[in-house]
Amino acid sequence: MSDWRPYPRRADSTVTGELWQLDGLGDAQHAPRPVLVWLPPSYHAESGRRYPVVYFHDGQNVFDAATSYSGEWGADETLTALAAQGTEAIAVGIPNGGDRRFHEYSPVENTDYPQGGGGGADAYVTFLTGTVKPAVDAAFRTRPGADDTVVIGSSMGGVISLHAWLTRPDVFGHAGMMSPALWTNAGFSLRQAQEAHLPAGRVWVDIGGQESPEFPDRMRAYWHEAHAFVDTLSARGLGERLRFQADPAAPHHESAWAARLPAALRFLLTRL
């Protein structure tokens, strides 16, 4: 852990785990960025224990409102509460690439999307599997196998979570898709759900009914495509390995994802 440093904690924090930061993690196609790792409360007391790992996209928004551009997930608070109930995991927050976010998270190009670009998802998954995960596994007592590794994100982070699960199930055994922006890729994710080999892991999907009220067509697309996606996975036999939550009143915001996160992590981290 020589290159990792403690992340400064707020004085009023109720979190009992530890947060660590590694600066400048990148590769040939991804600008260096700080990666944050949260360790559960029992990590130091139980020195022989290893832990499952949850990888979060948009890491700026996962642990600290001070680094967020839109709000905080409160993942460390949620994981602290889950630890008290007997569910413990290491959590990793990988920041997005700023104006490269859409490109990194999208499996296909979409020049009509306001940010443009796309098509960098395969390279980003390689960054996760070849650079980020090895750095985490080398520094911390992880359970590195796929069945103990979860990838989760919201909006475009949900899209890349699905892509990582379907293309590298040997690394990411389970996936969480919160308010997935399936409408951005012209049906690509829906075709993946219909045609790709489905791994054996668990999938969490959720959606709100007020994802983009300022854009009614987009808001309807969020809702309907999430339901179509879940219907496809259900028809393909995921059964109890699939969990879906739809909230007609929920917005497209970190506050909504924070509210749904405890149930999502409890499901994704509990072996069936």
Side-chain angles (χ1 to χ4, degrees), residues 40-51 83 86 88 141 143:
S42 68
Y43 188 85
H44 294 296
E46 300 182 29
S47 60
R49 183 176 175 184
R50 292 184 172 271
Y51 298 82
E88 291 193 273
R141 296 195 314 274
R143 298 209 301 251

Side-chain angles (χ1 to χ4, degrees), residues 12-251:
D12 62 347
S13 176
T14 60
V15 175
T16 57
E18 294 182 358
L19 199 57
W20 291 78
Q21 179 170 319
L22 177 62
D23 293 316
L25 202 59
D27 66 10
Q29 298 187 63
H30 298 86
R33 62 201 69 185
V35 171
L36 296 177
V37 168
W38 182 85
L39 302 178
S42 68
Y43 188 85
H44 294 296
E46 300 182 29
S47 60
R49 183 176 175 184
R50 292 184 172 271
Y51 298 82
V53 185
V54 182
Y55 287 86
F56 288 85
H57 307 297
D58 292 317
Q60 299 98 320
N61 300 347
V62 172
F63 299 113
D64 190 350
T67 62
S68 171
Y69 52 86
S70 184
E72 181 190 345
W73 283 49
D76 43 352
E77 286 87 351
T78 290
L79 285 160
T80 296
L82 289 178
Q85 301 167 15
T87 299
E88 291 193 273
I90 293 170
V92 182
I94 309 109
N96 64 56
D99 60 4
R100 295 274 293 173
R101 177 179 183 267
F102 181 79
H103 176 76
E104 290 182 353
Y105 291 176
S106 178
V108 294
E109 290 190 51
N110 182 352
T111 56
D112 293 331
Y113 187 69
Q115 290 175 272
D122 288 332
Y124 179 75
V125 171
T126 298
F127 170 55
L128 294 182
T129 58
T131 300
V132 177
K133 189 174 186 296
V136 173
D137 288 339
F140 303 100
R141 296 195 314 274
T142 66
R143 298 209 301 251
D147 198 40
D148 292 303
T149 306
V150 175
V151 62
I152 188 169
S154 62
S155 193
M156 288 303 299
V159 173
I160 190 62
S161 294
L162 170 69
H163 194 69
W165 181 64
L166 289 177
T167 61
R168 291 301 307 269
D170 57 314
V171 178
F172 301 107
H174 317 284
M177 304 171 59
M178 294 182 146
S179 301
L182 302 176
W183 60 272
T184 62
N185 58 41
F188 180 86
S189 293
L190 291 174
R191 290 192 297 275
Q192 276 190 311
Q194 293 165 349
E195 300 169 4
H197 169 74
L198 294 183
R202 298 179 293 281
V203 182
W204 170 279
V205 184
D206 64 38
I207 198 68
Q210 301 296 316
E211 298 285 352
S212 294
E214 67 275 26
F215 301 107
D217 290 344
R218 183 182 302 178
M219 184 170 69
R220 285 189 290 271
Y222 268 113
W223 184 262
H224 292 306
E225 293 201 22
H227 281 79
F229 175 78
V230 168
D231 288 345
T232 296
L233 293 184
S234 295
R236 296 193 64 190
L238 255 69
E240 64 180 4
R241 294 190 290 115
L242 173 65
R243 189 67 52 84
F244 180 47
Q245 187 174 114
D247 181 351

